[in-house]
Amino acid sequence: MALDSTLARPKPAPTKRSAIRTLMRDILRDRWLYLMLLPGIAYFIVFKYVPMYGVTMAFQDYKPHLGMLNSPWVGMKHFERFFAEPQFWMLFRNTVLLAVYNLVFFFPMPIILALMLNEVRSGGYKRFVQTLIYIPHFVSWVVVVGIFYLLLTTENGVLNEIIFRLTGEKIAFLLDPDWFRTMIISQSIWKEVGWGTIIFLAALAGVDLQLYEAARMDGAGRWRQLWHITLPAIRSTIIILLILRLGNFLDSGFEHIFLMLTPTNRDVGDVFDTYVYVKGMTQAQYSYSAAVGLFKSVVGLGLVLGSNWLAKRFGQEGVY
Amino acid sequence: MNHDRTLGNRLFDWVNGTILLLIAIACVIPFVYVLAISFTSPAQVAQGGLILYPKEWSLSAYRYIFSTDTLWRSMMVSIYITVVGTLINLVFTSLMAYPLAKTHLRGRQYILLGVLFTMLFSGGLIPTYFVVKAMHLTNTLWSLMIPAAISGFNLIVLKNFFQQIPDGLEDSAKIDGCNDLGILFRIVLPLSMPAMATFALFYAVGHWNQFFNAILYINDNTKWPIQVLLREIVILASGRIGDTDIDDADIQPLTIRMAVIVFATLPILLVYPFLQKHFSKGVLLGSVKG
């Protein structure tokens, strides 16, 4: 989402007064446009920027009856408490591990699937497969977790029945902490892999077919064409999505994890987001959980800016 | 693409096609299973096994879930927030995207930067909750619609889409005395139907599948959307709905859960085919890069 660098048309070097006059004239001319902007701007201020100001409560002992303006300031107290908490490292490890697993196992999947779809010659067959693989995207996490639950439960879950018949044992996929991360990642892949192909297929559709022809003339087989034409063609799309993904690196899919958490897998399943919810909403430790949330947001911002900077250094376009 | 019919190429196509077919089947077979179980007689379900079509049909699960008010009520809540919420989304998003598409608009870069920043950084759950609460939206259905009125991502994609519409069309309307608001509604939006259909679908899916905000903002269980009810029944596995207990031998908790999943999923899946044809046009316009 590069912002347009193209500004309004160039103006003849204006004196200060005439600059103000043209500004006023432009604003008057566009009064309807500004009017149309108002609801949206109001929305972003109220629901995005006011909460950003609201993070000041992380530095206060927030009391609802005093409000954000009058609650006493306590400096970094909540942050110090959080970093000293033995749970900090557990949350840190769980959040980062899920994020890394997501990056390693989930991120490449839509790319591979898009490349496979791109090799299909029959347009009808391609559309048929696409229609089916998009479907899981449209259902909620509750449904996904619910379906996995019903398929995998040790009480008559179909897959467990099959495993039982083959091995004589049942696997407690949903309760066993060792299976938690595998479950989360497989559910994510099942739900979103098809949908994720859309953007790569769009990028692939833009590749100049003459390049393939030229490569064939030079004797390149399918794998060489893939390596030297197709992959470079979608490289910038991959990098942009990777940067965006890194920006949400610590967002482990809150709803999803929230639904999968059980008392038995909290040790591996609790992440920053679920911790914020439990401390803030169920235990009413508002300032403390706002501090945890702020910590997460700042790290996320740092990650996206950092990865964007890296991408630019390596000669890519970057997002911003 | 390569059209050489060598053995290696044909083998490649065959393997590739088969793997894709298996992936496609893996994506839909759980739904087939759920649908089949929900229509299968309790006796056959009790025997277990993978049922992909009902040998003995039965509507008892559906009869049961509709004998209670709970499901209907949640269904109506979900339909309401999906329809009204999506309308709010489309109006708010297009009203804001249109002026931002005008490159001559003074100050537009600052507004765009302001939007972009909200995509990188947020106040987080707790401060947002307090804002929603301070606006007296908690425990109303508005709390599920207003705080999600505009998605920054969709806004920027739509802005890019509007930018591609030729200026000439709008200029002629302006000469005829139309103001910018009129141009948006009479000329630009009708030209943007594929994009609007796509965004409508994106927003509608979000509303229909909304679950966590309802838990956060709504205490009154008569205002629960279907997803919250679904979680109660399927995952927290109470196996019964709201007020009535299952004492009927003709009813299987499993078939009931499946039937509720079907009802929480079907409406949004029914919308998909109608809007699917617009995807290729709608989604990609503007695309990620802008």
Side-chain angles (χ1 to χ4, degrees), chain A residues 7 49 121 125 140 158 222, chain B residues 2 5 17 33 109 114 227:
Chain A
L7 291 169
Y49 281 95
R121 284 164 190 179
Y125 186 68
S140 66
V158 170
R222 272 175 113 148
Chain B
N2 199 328
R5 307 305 291 162
Y33 173 72
Q109 306 95 312
Q227 305 295 339

Side-chain angles (χ1 to χ4, degrees), chain B residues 56-123:
Chain B
E56 299 168 36
W57 286 75
S58 160
L59 288 173
S60 61
Y62 291 95
R63 225 175 280 132
Y64 171 75
I65 60 176
F66 286 116
S67 69
T68 67
D69 295 338
T70 325
L71 187 94
W72 279 121
R73 214 190 295 129
S74 287
M75 199 77 169
M76 293 321 286
V77 170
S78 279
I79 290 172
Y80 178 82
I81 59 169
T82 303
V83 173
V84 179
T86 305
L87 280 176
I88 292 174
N89 289 143
L90 293 180
V91 171
F92 269 65
T93 310
S94 47
L95 268 184
M96 192 171 180
Y98 181 68
L100 291 178
K102 299 284 160 225
T103 42
H104 62 73
L105 192 78
R106 298 277 196 145
R108 93 189 244 286
Q109 306 95 312
Y110 302 106
I111 299 171
L112 281 171
L113 268 179
V115 171
L116 204 59
F117 188 66
T118 64
M119 296 162 71
L120 294 178
F121 186 80
S122 80

Side-chain angles (χ1 to χ4, degrees), chain A residues 50-270:
Chain A
V50 174
M52 281 185 208
Y53 170 74
V55 298
T56 52
M57 67 196 281
F59 305 96
Q60 296 177 327
D61 260 336
Y62 179 77
K63 301 275 186 301
H65 62 278
L66 293 176
M68 260 173 244
L69 297 176
N70 298 317
S71 295
W73 295 90
V74 294
M76 304 297 283
K77 180 180 128 185
H78 299 296
F79 293 92
E80 281 159 20
R81 176 186 152 196
F82 179 51
F83 297 138
E85 199 77 58
Q87 273 164 312
F88 174 79
W89 286 111
M90 179 201 82
L91 295 169
F92 185 84
R93 193 191 61 219
N94 291 348
T95 310
V96 170
L97 267 182
L98 272 176
V100 170
Y101 282 17
N102 244 316
L103 214 54
V104 173
F105 296 107
F106 177 81
F107 187 79
M109 290 292 176
I111 303 174
I112 297 170
L113 191 55
L115 291 174
M116 288 172 72
L117 277 168
N118 196 45
E119 294 294 328
V120 174
R121 284 164 190 179
S122 148
Y125 186 68
K126 187 174 161 186
R127 264 194 303 282
F128 167 75
V129 172
Q130 277 179 288
T131 307
L132 295 189
I133 62 178
Y134 292 165
I135 287 177
H137 169 78
F138 290 96
V139 305
S140 66
W141 278 118
V142 187
V143 168
V144 174
V145 173
I147 291 180
F148 268 73
Y149 181 89
L150 295 171
L151 290 174
L152 293 173
T153 172
T154 43
E155 303 159 40
N156 301 323
V158 170
L159 288 182
N160 243 323
E161 287 298 312
I162 294 170
I163 292 169
F164 182 72
R165 273 174 220 176
L166 294 176
T167 66
E169 273 175 65
K170 290 189 174 184
I171 302 171
F173 292 107
L174 298 150
L175 295 174
D176 188 345
D178 291 344
W179 278 94
F180 183 81
R181 293 191 184 104
T182 314
M183 285 288 110
I184 292 280
I185 304 294
S186 2
Q187 288 168 359
S188 297
I189 292 177
W190 182 74
K191 187 173 189 288
E192 301 295 350
V193 70
W195 193 250
T197 60
I198 290 183
I199 198 81
F200 296 108
L201 285 171
L204 288 169
V207 183
D208 189 352
L209 290 180
Q210 288 183 353
L211 291 174
Y212 290 106
E213 240 163 75
R216 268 209 308 284
M217 297 297 236
D218 292 343
R222 272 175 113 148
W223 292 108
R224 294 209 133 234
Q225 290 173 36
L226 177 78
W227 192 249
H228 291 295
I229 299 172
T230 313
L231 274 179
I234 60 171
R235 188 173 56 197
S236 64
T237 309
I238 294 177
I239 288 178
I240 284 167
L241 289 182
L242 195 61
I243 294 171
L244 291 175
R245 181 67 230 140
L246 285 173
N248 300 325
F249 189 67
L250 299 179
D251 292 324
S252 352
F254 178 34
E255 277 201 6
H256 183 193
I257 292 174
F258 180 80
L259 287 162
M260 286 292 287
L261 274 183
T262 61
T264 53
N265 61 24
R266 283 210 166 269
D267 283 347
V268 292
D270 239 344

Side-chain angles (χ1 to χ4, degrees), chain A residues 1-4 6-9 11 19 22-23 26-27 29-30 32-34 36-37 39-41 43-44 46-52 54-55 57 62 64 68 113 116-121 125 127-140 142-143 145-147 149-151 158 165 190 195 198-199 202 209 212 216 220-223 225 240-241 244 254-255 258-259 276-277 280-281 286 289-290 294 297-298 300-301 304-305 317 320, chain B residues 1-5 9 12-13 16-21 23-24 26-28 30-31 33-34 49-50 92 95-96 98-100 102-106 108-109 111-123 125-132 135 137 146-150 152-153 155-156 159 163 179-181 184 201-202 205 209-212 215-216 227 230-231 234-235 237 254 257-258 261 264-265 268-269 272 276 279 283-284 288-290:
Chain A
M1 277 143 296
L3 292 176
D4 301 58
T6 45
L7 291 169
R9 45 202 158 351
K11 298 199 170 59
T22 42
L23 176 70
D26 285 357
I27 290 177
R29 179 198 58 201
D30 290 331
W32 280 99
L33 294 176
Y34 287 108
M36 288 155 77
L37 276 175
I41 292 178
Y43 166 78
F44 277 98
V46 173
F47 290 104
K48 302 290 175 186
Y49 281 95
V50 174
M52 281 185 208
V55 298
M57 67 196 281
Y62 179 77
M68 260 173 244
L113 191 55
M116 288 172 72
L117 277 168
N118 196 45
E119 294 294 328
V120 174
R121 284 164 190 179
Y125 186 68
R127 264 194 303 282
F128 167 75
V129 172
Q130 277 179 288
T131 307
L132 295 189
I133 62 178
Y134 292 165
I135 287 177
H137 169 78
F138 290 96
V139 305
S140 66
V142 187
V143 168
V145 173
I147 291 180
Y149 181 89
L150 295 171
L151 290 174
V158 170
R165 273 174 220 176
W190 182 74
W195 193 250
I198 290 183
I199 198 81
L209 290 180
Y212 290 106
R216 268 209 308 284
R222 272 175 113 148
W223 292 108
Q225 290 173 36
I240 284 167
L241 289 182
L244 291 175
F254 178 34
E255 277 201 6
F258 180 80
L259 287 162
V276 169
Y277 173 73
M281 300 317 295
Y286 301 122
S289 40
L294 177 59
S297 290
V298 169
L301 181 66
V304 76
L305 294 180
E317 265 183 83
Y320 308 110
Chain B
M1 215 81 333
N2 199 328
H3 286 282
D4 302 341
R5 307 305 291 162
N9 265 330
F12 178 94
D13 284 331
N16 188 37
T18 313
I19 296 176
L20 284 173
L21 184 67
I23 293 172
C27 284
V28 288
F31 295 114
Y33 173 72
V34 166
L50 184 64
F92 269 65
L95 268 184
M96 192 171 180
Y98 181 68
L100 291 178
K102 299 284 160 225
T103 42
H104 62 73
L105 192 78
R106 298 277 196 145
R108 93 189 244 286
Q109 306 95 312
I111 299 171
L112 281 171
L113 268 179
V115 171
L116 204 59
F117 188 66
T118 64
M119 296 162 71
L120 294 178
F121 186 80
S122 80
L125 182 77
I126 305 291
T128 307
Y129 173 81
F130 278 108
V131 169
V132 174
M135 308 272 299
L137 296 175
I146 304 287
I150 302 178
F153 186 83
L155 177 74
I156 287 176
K159 179 217 87 171
Q163 250 165 342
N179 63 35
D180 288 305
L181 196 64
L184 172 64
L201 180 69
F202 287 174
V205 169
N209 289 338
Q210 187 58 264
F211 145 77
F212 185 72
I215 290 194
L216 200 58
Q227 305 295 339
L230 185 71
R231 170 173 177 252
V234 177
I235 299 171
L254 188 62
R257 290 182 193 169
M258 300 292 191
I261 291 181
T265 308
I268 206 70
L269 285 186
Y272 166 52
Q276 191 204 3
F279 281 172
V283 177
L284 314 172
V288 176
K289 277 193 57 185

